Amino acid sequence: MERRTRGPGARHEVRRQEIADAVLAVVAERGLPAVSLTEVAARAGVSAGRVQHYFPTKGELVEAAFERGNELSGTRIRALVGGDLEGAAPRTVLTVVLTELIAHDAETRAHLRVRQSFTALALTDEAIARRMRADYERFHGQVAELLRRDRETGLLPGSVEPGGAGVDLVALAEGLAYYVLIGLTAPETARDRVVSAIAALYGDG
């Protein structure tokens, strides 16, 4: 569905986005436990009642921040690749997408903190778990398609099975992303390991 760019619907979307951005800002500075109606309202410059009108619960605030973070991540990926994801080299897209899963500045750290918290919620909330499974199936499929395209052109060894290899790469990147968030691994080290894993898969590592 096309988003409205004028009228009440557009204003509604802008307000929701501003509040979601405020959640990300709070998370970046103080972590997810600091997220509350009052904290987010103060950051967004609106009343707590206004925040609650759009997002009645903390869970809905977190979900909105999760969606907003994904949107911002998509924008960064397109900028790094050059805008044309379909026309770019699959390996380039693969590298950018997987390394962007690892926090390397305040913006990505906030997004990935929210992402990890949303993932944790899936352990006790089947509705969220169902959504996460669907998201991962789609993501794994996209990664596999990038690998499949390079295998078909001979850039990736024919022995590589795109589906399994894609899951392995995503799991590696997300595991390292968690290590970065808790301070176990430096962002540069984690990103280098992902790049090395991709190189090894392509046979030039």
Side-chain angles (χ1 to χ4, degrees):
M1 181 180 294
E2 184 177 354
R3 288 189 176 183
R4 296 181 181 181
T5 56
R6 300 174 62 183
R11 289 194 296 273
H12 177 82
E13 286 300 319
V14 168
R15 291 191 189 102
R16 286 178 58 89
Q17 180 177 303
E18 290 172 347
I19 293 170
D21 285 340
V23 178
L24 289 172
V26 171
V27 172
E29 290 184 5
R30 299 174 56 195
L32 192 67
V35 173
S36 67
L37 292 176
T38 53
E39 287 291 335
V40 172
R43 172 68 63 169
V46 298
S47 68
R50 174 69 67 177
V51 173
Q52 194 167 32
H53 170 74
Y54 288 103
F55 306 104
T57 67
K58 180 176 178 177
E60 289 174 282
L61 277 173
V62 172
E63 184 170 1
F66 177 76
E67 295 287 358
R68 178 61 173 155
N70 285 342
E71 180 184 338
L72 293 171
S73 179
T75 299
R76 286 195 303 273
I77 287 168
R78 285 189 292 274
L80 289 168
V81 170
D84 182 12
L85 294 182
E86 292 298 323
R91 183 171 175 175
T92 298
V93 177
L94 180 70
T95 301
V96 170
V97 167
L98 293 180
T99 54
E100 276 297 299
L101 288 175
I102 297 169
H104 54 88
D105 56 23
E107 182 178 340
T108 53
R109 181 170 293 273
H111 170 212
L112 290 161
R113 278 183 176 178
V114 171
R115 182 181 179 86
Q116 288 287 351
S117 299
F118 201 72
T119 301
L121 290 175
L123 298 177
T124 56
D125 188 320
E126 176 55 27
I128 293 177
R130 189 162 50 248
R131 172 182 170 171
M132 292 297 290
R133 287 194 295 270
D135 284 348
Y136 272 117
E137 286 174 6
R138 181 169 56 253
F139 185 31
H140 291 157
Q142 291 168 340
V143 171
E145 179 58 25
L146 291 171
L147 294 172
R148 190 173 294 110
R149 285 167 55 190
D150 269 353
R151 191 178 68 172
E152 288 175 353
T153 58
L155 294 174
L156 187 71
S159 59
V160 173
E161 197 285 298
V167 171
D168 289 347
L169 286 174
V170 172
L172 172 66
E174 292 210 323
L176 288 168
Y178 174 71
Y179 282 4
V180 169
L181 288 178
I182 64 173
L184 184 62
T185 303
E188 298 79 10
T189 300
R191 288 161 72 91
D192 285 347
R193 287 178 180 169
V194 170
V195 171
S196 294
I198 294 171
L201 193 66
Y202 276 77
D204 56 9

